[in-house]
Every structure is written in structure tokens, then in C-alpha cells.
């Protein structure tokens, strides 16, 4: 294996420890976000208690999928950003829109150097009553919407959200909608783990709820006898 | 099977490494095989390396990479201890390991388990796998042999074990991994770290349990056959 560094010294080629989908939506009081606590190592479900959603400053919540070490590094950058913001001591604090922009610049500039931070990030928050929910990908694509998801969540969760999301969901409705999405991901995403965290951010602040497990349903008669009428099939 | 012996292949510690917290400290364990391709370059390596008096690291993956990382961390921690005026915490040691692993992720191929005891948080284990993620865990397994231990630990791990239970678990686990992983072998080494200090232990094959399809070792077949029949001349 050729190990000596060449002109293009740094270049992330592939992720090692990865987190699966994150899903988030706007509701009446702010943003609700959900992610499982799994860290996969290739096809092995190696780590089962990794927190992939963290509060940022007073007004934002960051959720990440992709390489966990890069997410941990991003948290360090944001720590520094918030620290410097607090040191101004001017009564102002960075809101979700600003933090989202900062992240977009980091991700896009790393992409330009062919050394991306291998993450898909979801940044949600509320400041002065204004709700904000945005996403940034590892190549710097960014946008905001009423509901967002990363990874397989884009294919499995967003269709559900497009159908059932509406303005002014209550906390209970929002949580149940997220749980519906996470359950589908549990059924259909190989790298999903049944240990889920939901977090919320409102004007009052951020709360990351403790991990819990979802019940799953297997009692369809077709599941019990899948090959009835077609022996040899599956 | 005519395999060419590649003596110039990089030294890799196939390895099984384990770190387990117990009620009062940590137990670190590892096998002792270092291979160069298919040849066993060192059958009695010591993969549990001291970073400070109270923090040790289990090394897996490339022997060279893991040695150089632990050398740098030992160097930095030594200076840090002098500046701090008291023993470094396990968290600081683990984060230094992470820093080197993460910032050199394109060049390094080493998975590490940092374990130790400090007066603030007691016994702690931190996993630093490939890529430089840092993960604090009640127990951690690593190296190629660890693939065979995920199921074992899911079943056998319990919170709040005693020192003896923890060391037995580690010995058993490394021994099971050695049985199935060609890249792990030799002896089982353990290091126990707690408030009282550090204890190193050494367990060769004859002091470990036998598993499925393994037989009691003997010096010779002749010992099994009993006294040889006198020749009938």
C-alpha cells in the first residue's frame, strides 16, 4: 500500500464510523428532530449509544449523519464559534440562520479542496419567534424547508412528511409523525438501530430526550405464511 | 498451499484488544501476535502500552502506526503532567490520541482503546477506532479478533462487576477470539488499573480454558499411549 504523502496531501476518501438518517420538522413551537443512536462500521452495527444531535448556542440544534469523527470536529468548530460570539458580550447571539450559513461555508470550502467533511447536517432552531430548519450536504448543497431528512430518510421519510405535515402541528402530533418516519427507517434501513432520540428546540431552549426503543409490527398473516400459494417463492 | 512469505509486508497486529470498566477501575486485555503477512513476526508482543502511570492504551492495526501514535501521546502527556502539576486525566489522554488519529486519518491505520483511572471520574474506557472518532464506553473491543466477540459481550457483559469478574471476562474473551481469529494468538496479557495502581498479568495457553474442538496439550503422543510395550523379541 502506497503510504507516502504526495502533492494532494489531504483527501478524505471514505468514511469509517457512520451515523444513519436524521429527520426533522417544524411544529407549532419550534423544531422537532429525530435520529437513532447508532454508529455503523461498514456493515457492522458497532456502536449503539452515539448521540448525533446536539444543541448549539441558545437557539439551534444540530443533527448529523455520516462520519462521526467529522461530526465531532464540526462540534468543536461550533464550540469555538459560540465561544467567540459570547465573548462579544453584546446581548446578541448567533441564530440558526447564521449557524447554518457558517456550516455551509465550511462544508463547501472543504469540498472545493477535495477533502470533504463526510456528513449531512440538519440545523434547526428558533429565534425571536422565527422558526428555521435547514440542511447542508457534504458537498455544500444547502436549503431550508418545513421538513428535512438525510440519507435514506430522504427517500423513506420525506414522502410521509409531504403527505402528513401541516402548519402548527402540536408537540404530540410532531413526535408521532417523527416516530412513524423512524419506524419505517427501522424496517427498511439496514444501518438503523432500535435506539432512538428525539430532540426539540423552542424559544425557551433545547431539549434532547433520553433514548428509547420503538415497538415494531410483524403480525401480518402474509408474514407468517409468505409462500402460501407460491411454494418456493419468498 | 504454496504461499509466498512476504517478509517485507508491513507488520500488522491482527489482534484482539479489549477494555472493560468495573466497579473501581478498568481491565485492559490483548493477545500477543504480530504478523508480517502470514508469518508471525512476534509471538509474545506487548500490545498494552503505558501512556502515563494511570492511563494505558491497547494497540491494534498497523504496529508502526500504533507505536508512533502512542509515543507522541506519551511525550505530550509527560509535558502536560509537568505543567498541570498532577496526573493527567484519562479523558485528556484519550483526546490526545483522538487528535493524532483524526488529523492524520489518511495516513494511519490503527484502532486504539484508551483505559485508565483518575480521581475525578474513576475508571474510564475510550474507544478510538479508524477515522479518529472518540467514544466513551463501559467496555470496548477492537482488532480483527473482535468480530468474534460482539455476540459474546452482548450476552456476557454486566454493569458493576468486581475486579475478578472483569478480569475473568477479559481473559475468556481474548481466549475465545484467539481460538477463531488467525491474526490473533500467543498469550493473553491483562492490565488492571484502579486507585491502588497498576497490575500486569500474563496468561499462557495452559492457564486458559479449552474451547470447542481444542484438546489438552501434551509433550508427546507417547505420554498418551502410556508406557511403551516391551519389544516382543
Amino acid at each position: 500500500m502506497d503510504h507516502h504523502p504526495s502533492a494532494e496531501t489531504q483527501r478524505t476518501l471514505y468514511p469509517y464510523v457512520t451515523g444513519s438518517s436524521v429527520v426533522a420538522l417544524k411544529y407549532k413551537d419550534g423544531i422537532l428532530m429525530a435520529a437513532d443512536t447508532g454508529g455503523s462500521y461498514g456493515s457492522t452495527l458497532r456502536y449503539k449509544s452515539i448521540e448525533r444531535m446536539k444543541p448549539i448556542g441558545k437557539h439551534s440544534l444540530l443533527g448529523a449523519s455520516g462520519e462521526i469523527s467529522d461530526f465531532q470536529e464540526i462540534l468543536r468548530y461550533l464550540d469555538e464559534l459560540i465561544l467567540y460570539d459570547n465573548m462579544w458580550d453584546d446581548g446578541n447571539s448567533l441564530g440558526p440562520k447564521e449557524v447554518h450559513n457558517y456550516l455551509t461555508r465550511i462544508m463547501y470550502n472543504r469540498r472545493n479542496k477535495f477533502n470533504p467533511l463526510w456528513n449531512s447536517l440538519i440545523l434547526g432552531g428558533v429565534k425571536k419567534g422565527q422558526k428555521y430548519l435547514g440542511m447542508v450536504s457534504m458537498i455544500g448543497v444547502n436549503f431550508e424547508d418545513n421538513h428535512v431528512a438525510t440519507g435514506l430518510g430522504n427517500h423513506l421519510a420525506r414522502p410521509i412528511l409531504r403527505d402528513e405535515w401541516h402548519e402548527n402541528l402540536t408537540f404530540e402530533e410532531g413526535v408521532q409523525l417523527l416516530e412513524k418516519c423512524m419506524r419505517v427507517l427501522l424496517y427498511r434501513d439496514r444501518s438503523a438501530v432500535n435506539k432512538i432520540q428525539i430532540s426539540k428546540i423552542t424559544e425557551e431552549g433545547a431539549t434532547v430526550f433520553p433514548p428509547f426503543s420503538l415497538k415494531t409490527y410483524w403480525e401480518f398473516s402474509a408474514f407468517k405464511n409468505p409462500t402460501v400459494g407460491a411454494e418456493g417463492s419468498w | 498451499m504454496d504461499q509466498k512469505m512476504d517478509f517485507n509486508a508491513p507488520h500488522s497486529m491482527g489482534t484482539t484488544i479489549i477494555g472493560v470498566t468495573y466497579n473501581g477501575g478498568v481491565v485492559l486485555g490483548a493477545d500477543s501476535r504480530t504478523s508480517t503477512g502470514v508469518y508471525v513476526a512476534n509471538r509474545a508482543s506487548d500490545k498494552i502500552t503505558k501512556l502515563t502511570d494511570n492511563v494505558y492504551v491497547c494497540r491494534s492495526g498497523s504496529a508502526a502506526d500504533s507505536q508512533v501514535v502512542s509515543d507522541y501521546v506519551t511525550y505530550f502527556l509527560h509535558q502536560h503532567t509537568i505543567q498541570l502539576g498532577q496526573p493527567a486525566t484519562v479523558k485528556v489522554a484519550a483526546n490526545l490520541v483522538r487528535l493524532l488519529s483524526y488529523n492524520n486519518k489518511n495516513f494511519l491505520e490503527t484502532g486504539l482503546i484508551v483505559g485508565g483511572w483518575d480521581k475525578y471520574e474513576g475508571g474510564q474506557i475510550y474507544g478510538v477506532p479508524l477515522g479518529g472518532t472518540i467514544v466513551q464506553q463501559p467496555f470496548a473491543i477492537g482488532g480483527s479478533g473482535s468480530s468474534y466477540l460482539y455476540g459474546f459481550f452482548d450476552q456476557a457483559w454486566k454493569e458493576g462487576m468486581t475486579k475478578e469478574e472483569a478480569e475473568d471476562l477479559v481473559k475468556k474473551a481474548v481466549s475465545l477470539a484467539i481460538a477463531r481469529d488467525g491474526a490473533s494468538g500467543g498469550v493473553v496479557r491483562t492490565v488492571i488499573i484502579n486507585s491502588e495502581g497498576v497490575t500486569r498479568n500474563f496468561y499462557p495457553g495452559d492457564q486458559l480454558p479449552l474451547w470447542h474442538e481444542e484438546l489438552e496439550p501434551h509433550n508427546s503422543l507417547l505420554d498418551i499411549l502410556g508406557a511403551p510395550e516391551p519389544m516382543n523379541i
Side-chain angles (χ1 to χ4, degrees), chain B residues 72-86:
Chain B
Y72 268 115
V73 175
T74 307
Y75 170 68
F76 292 137
L77 277 176
H78 184 223
Q79 297 184 333
H80 171 66
T81 305
I82 292 170
Q83 288 176 334
L84 197 64
Q86 58 182 41

Side-chain angles (χ1 to χ4, degrees), chain A residues 10-11 69-70 72-73 76, chain B residues 98 102 105-106 131 134:
Chain A
Q10 283 273 22
R11 156 186 260 268
S69 65
D70 286 345
Q72 290 177 341
E73 192 74 355
R76 275 160 211 269
Chain B
R98 178 210 88 94
Y102 180 75
K105 65 158 81 187
N106 294 327
I134 182 170

Side-chain angles (χ1 to χ4, degrees), chain B residues 3-229:
Chain B
Q3 280 191 312
K4 284 249 168 74
M5 297 243 259
D6 183 9
F7 292 106
N8 293 317
H11 277 41
S12 155
M13 300 170 306
T15 311
T16 305
I17 49 172
I18 300 179
V20 148
T21 58
Y22 72 91
N23 186 18
V26 298
V27 179
L28 300 177
D31 73 309
S32 69
R33 177 171 288 186
T34 302
S35 31
T36 320
V38 294
Y39 176 66
V40 176
N42 186 352
R43 63 181 171 103
S45 2
D46 184 5
K47 304 181 187 181
I48 308 178
T49 302
K50 180 172 120 154
L51 294 178
T52 67
D53 288 338
N54 56 316
V55 184
Y56 280 64
V57 63
C58 295
R59 302 180 291 109
S60 79
S62 156
D65 289 351
S66 65
Q67 279 173 6
V68 87
V69 167
S70 55
D71 284 349
Y72 268 115
V73 175
T74 307
Y75 170 68
F76 292 137
L77 277 176
H78 184 223
Q79 297 184 333
H80 171 66
T81 305
I82 292 170
Q83 288 176 334
L84 197 64
Q86 58 182 41
T89 58
V90 189
K91 189 176 236 176
V92 165
N95 271 290
L96 281 172
V97 172
R98 178 210 88 94
L99 216 62
L100 285 167
S101 284
Y102 180 75
N103 289 323
N104 296 292
K105 65 158 81 187
N106 294 327
F107 310 114
L108 295 174
E109 194 199 293
T110 170
L112 302 150
I113 296 179
V114 181
W117 184 94
D118 61 51
K119 67 183 186 197
Y120 299 105
E121 302 283 327
Q124 300 142 72
I125 294 283
Y126 293 89
V128 185
L130 256 50
T133 312
I134 182 170
V135 160
Q136 184 179 8
Q137 303 167 271
F139 71 90
I141 56 177
S144 57
S146 68
S147 307
Y148 308 96
L149 297 177
Y150 285 99
F152 174 69
F153 272 91
D154 277 347
Q155 186 240 29
W157 159 261
K158 293 181 277 127
E159 195 71 57
M161 289 186 288
T162 65
K163 181 171 71 149
E164 289 70 30
E165 286 175 326
E167 211 209 359
D168 278 341
L169 184 67
V170 168
K171 254 168 50 188
K172 195 174 182 184
V174 179
S175 160
L176 280 166
I178 287 174
R180 291 294 184 175
D181 179 30
S184 300
V187 304
V188 177
R189 293 191 196 274
T190 65
V191 171
I192 307 174
I193 313 173
N194 51 35
S195 55
E196 278 138 48
V198 176
T199 316
R200 269 195 171 278
N201 289 317
F202 169 89
Y203 300 102
D206 56 308
Q207 287 176 34
L208 298 167
L210 288 167
W211 305 117
H212 183 50
E213 290 182 315
E214 290 183 340
L215 300 171
E216 280 282 352
H218 296 275
N219 277 326
S220 165
L221 170 67
L222 304 173
D223 295 341
I224 308 172
L225 294 177
E229 299 261 326

Side-chain angles (χ1 to χ4, degrees), chain A residues 155-220:
Chain A
H155 300 99
L156 297 171
R158 293 205 70 198
I160 299 174
L161 294 167
R162 273 183 214 118
D163 211 24
E164 299 185 26
W165 183 89
H166 57 83
E167 289 278 359
N168 295 319
L169 286 163
T170 64
F171 174 73
E172 288 73 23
E173 287 174 327
V175 168
Q176 285 180 323
L177 192 47
L178 279 179
E179 285 171 346
K180 186 171 187 179
C181 295
M182 296 309 285
R183 189 175 282 107
V184 171
L185 286 166
L186 202 52
Y187 288 139
R188 299 294 182 174
D189 182 358
R190 247 178 53 160
S191 41
V193 140
N194 197 357
K195 196 168 175 192
I196 288 157
Q197 270 192 309
I198 293 190
S199 57
K200 75 170 163 97
I201 182 148
T202 63
E203 194 73 56
E204 280 77 57
T207 314
V208 180
F209 295 103
F212 68 100
S213 282
L214 281 173
K215 281 198 183 159
T216 50
Y217 185 73
W218 301 90
E219 307 302 314
F220 291 111

